[in-house]
Amino acid sequence: MLTAFLVASIAPVQATGWKLVQSGILSGLSGMALIQASEDSASYLVVHDNKKVGEARASVLQMKRGKAPEYLPVTWEGSPPVDLEGLTAIPGKPGLYMALASAGPAMVIEFNGVTRNIVIQSSYNLPSLPAKPNLEGISIQMLDDKMIMAWGHRGELPELNTFFACAIDAKYLPTGGVTTASLAIPWPTAAGTRGISDLKIDASGTVFVSSAADAGNDGPFQSVLYAAGTLSAEADPVKFRASTPSRLFWTDQHKIEAFDLLPGRTGGIIFGTDDENLGGSVWSNFWPD
């Protein structure tokens, strides 16, 4: 199970190994999903929470052995969305991803790795949202032969976060009931902490969540990754069983708003940050250097 792997391999490492990708408030990472990886390199599609015309909405994060990480530009065809905060790969569909804007909608996007352009295939408003949603984090995983999607309303202490999960159909639309829960936040506990800054589900159904806090565009920042519970798709709606949060990784230097899980022999976890004026940095326990 990935939880045990994470506890053993990343919990002791907090302040070292971070690598700056690019400085500046327009360069933070707000969501990420794997494109491809090998023992020598890894590339991710990443989204940025930029809002104005001409500002980047997506990039390719390129990591190569012995070299500094870098962004490669991506062209967003048509009218670009505003304030992208989540991204997940669609299982079994190379090149297809689900992107999430902070106020909605969710968008099925197609990424062409040769031309590095994105086209929106479809979009829709997610169900069961609060009146003023502030969405962060989305994940799609196959569980019990069903495709399950989860997403989060971040909250901002003392406001509680909300975790959502449901089954989706072959067109990636929600089907059946929606499960909701407020997730416990082990840390940070400062006022303004975003209870959900990103989330991912692994193949066993374990739900991993990052929480983050900042005191302004120049920090200081705090972040934590924890295992929040497990999802099961045996019934409708899907069942979420919360657990006592296991704090797996933490930092008081960066604001984690993106992470992804990579299974397999060369796998592990990667974090991306949105450190506002300080830009975007990454950390991984399978860093190819």
Side-chain angles (χ1 to χ4, degrees):
M1 185 176 178
L2 187 56
T3 307
F5 169 76
L6 289 172
V7 171
S9 63
I10 72 174
V13 184
Q14 309 311 327
T16 61
W18 289 95
K19 297 179 184 289
L20 177 68
V21 185
Q22 191 166 291
S23 60
I25 199 166
L26 301 180
S27 301
L29 296 87
S30 56
M32 64 193 312
L34 179 71
I35 299 172
Q36 60 183 6
S38 68
E39 293 183 357
D40 297 316
S41 66
S43 59
Y44 287 82
L45 185 63
V46 301
V47 293
H48 310 289
D49 60 1
N50 297 327
K51 305 172 181 64
K52 296 180 180 180
V53 174
E55 295 175 348
R57 300 307 201 263
S59 302
V60 170
L61 170 64
Q62 183 66 58
M63 297 157 42
K64 294 183 179 180
R65 185 181 298 277
K67 295 184 178 180
E70 62 176 329
Y71 288 144
L72 303 177
V74 168
T75 300
W76 197 289
E77 303 291 345
S79 179
V82 173
D83 199 12
L84 290 170
E85 293 288 357
L87 186 70
T88 182
I90 295 179
K93 299 292 183 179
L96 284 186
Y97 300 83
M98 184 79 78
L100 180 65
S102 63
M107 293 155 278
V108 178
I109 63 173
E110 183 176 6
F111 170 68
N112 186 316
V114 176
T115 60
R116 293 206 304 271
N117 74 313
I118 286 175
V119 176
I120 297 176
Q121 297 292 336
S122 62
S123 66
Y124 60 88
N125 291 321
L126 292 165
S128 304
L129 295 181
K132 295 182 179 180
N134 203 331
L135 305 178
E136 298 221 17
I138 190 165
S139 183
I140 298 176
Q141 182 63 265
M142 293 297 299
L143 299 176
D144 301 315
D145 296 321
K146 297 178 183 178
M147 194 173 295
I148 304 302
M149 183 169 70
W151 64 97
H153 167 70
R154 77 182 194 187
E156 192 164 323
L157 288 177
E159 178 199 357
L160 297 178
N161 64 78
T162 309
F163 170 80
F164 304 85
C166 69
I168 57 176
D169 63 20
K171 295 184 178 179
Y172 317 116
L173 296 171
T175 180
V178 177
T179 294
T180 63
S182 179
L183 305 182
I185 303 171
W187 184 84
T189 56
T193 293
R194 294 100 182 256
I196 299 175
S197 63
D198 201 6
L199 62 87
K200 287 293 189 294
I201 312 163
D202 76 1
S204 72
T206 301
V207 178
F208 296 93
V209 174
S210 59
S211 299
D214 70 77
N217 286 345
D218 296 311
F221 307 109
Q222 295 177 319
S223 302
V224 63
L225 176 80
Y226 60 99
T230 56
L231 277 171
S232 170
E234 295 176 352
D236 180 34
V238 297
K239 301 298 182 184
F240 175 70
R241 182 168 61 185
S243 61
T244 300
S246 300
R247 190 174 75 167
L248 304 175
F249 184 93
W250 63 97
T251 173
D252 58 4
Q253 295 182 329
H254 297 280
K255 184 173 60 163
I256 294 171
E257 289 204 5
F259 70 91
D260 201 15
L261 310 172
L262 179 61
R265 183 174 62 86
T266 59
I269 190 166
I270 182 170
F271 298 107
T273 74
D274 183 356
D275 293 333
E276 304 299 339
N277 287 335
L278 303 181
S281 293
V282 291
W283 184 97
S284 179
N285 62 346
F286 67 99
W287 193 270
D289 60 2

